[in-house]
Amino acid sequence: MSEPSIFTRILQGEIPSEIIAETDNAFAIRDIAPQAPVHLLVIPKTQEYRNVVELAAGDPALLAEVVGLANSVAAEHAGGDFRLVFNTGASAGQTVFHVHAHVLAGDLDEKSVGG
Ligand code: 5GP
């Protein structure tokens, strides 16, 4: 059994962070170091999957649940439109290897990836 991730420790109440929304299998918190006016994290309760590729292969229904919860929190905390980012791999900026979606919204730089 691997060490509990920082997000598992938050879920278990060991590290303080308000859980702003949850479903049976996922939960949402505010990012501690926001990179946008609204910056939330949506996280599966299990830490079994290190990144979104593993999650998509291992439990596509849970990935869909994460996306659905991202949509709900974006509707509640922003205008409804949002950017969903899964950093995948250390050189792409991933620092916590318990898969999580960044929900970014509110006055984002108009450039979008590929745009
Ligand atoms: P990554 O870099 O792995 O894609 O994203 C990890 C995110 O978790 C970072 O944006 C970082 O600010 C956030 N984070 C790290 N530790 C904590 C914490 O203790 N509480 C909260 N709310 N966010 C955290």
Side-chain angles (χ1 to χ4, degrees):
M1 179 77 191
S2 55
E3 289 289 299
S5 74
I6 193 140
F7 298 142
T8 296
R9 294 175 68 199
I10 286 171
L11 182 64
Q12 292 175 344
E14 271 178 52
I15 296 175
S17 184
E18 184 190 353
I19 294 178
I20 60 170
E22 67 179 314
T23 59
D24 286 350
N25 301 300
F27 65 107
I29 59 175
R30 291 187 184 82
D31 197 290
I32 203 169
Q35 307 292 314
V38 176
H39 186 171
L40 311 173
L41 300 172
V42 179
I43 309 160
K45 291 180 179 175
T46 176
Q47 67 174 58
E48 182 178 350
Y49 305 105
R50 290 165 53 85
N51 61 52
V52 69
V53 177
E54 289 187 5
L55 176 60
D59 193 342
L62 179 53
L63 175 57
E65 190 171 327
V66 166
V67 173
L69 184 55
N71 186 51
S72 303
V73 293
E76 189 177 341
H77 294 269
D81 292 349
F82 60 97
R83 193 172 292 173
L84 197 60
V85 174
F86 291 90
N87 293 326
T88 306
S91 68
Q94 187 175 4
T95 58
V96 180
F97 292 85
H98 170 167
V99 61
H100 53 281
H102 295 258
V103 178
L104 303 163
D107 202 22
L108 297 174
D109 183 334
E110 292 203 353
K111 272 186 305 202
S112 59
V113 176

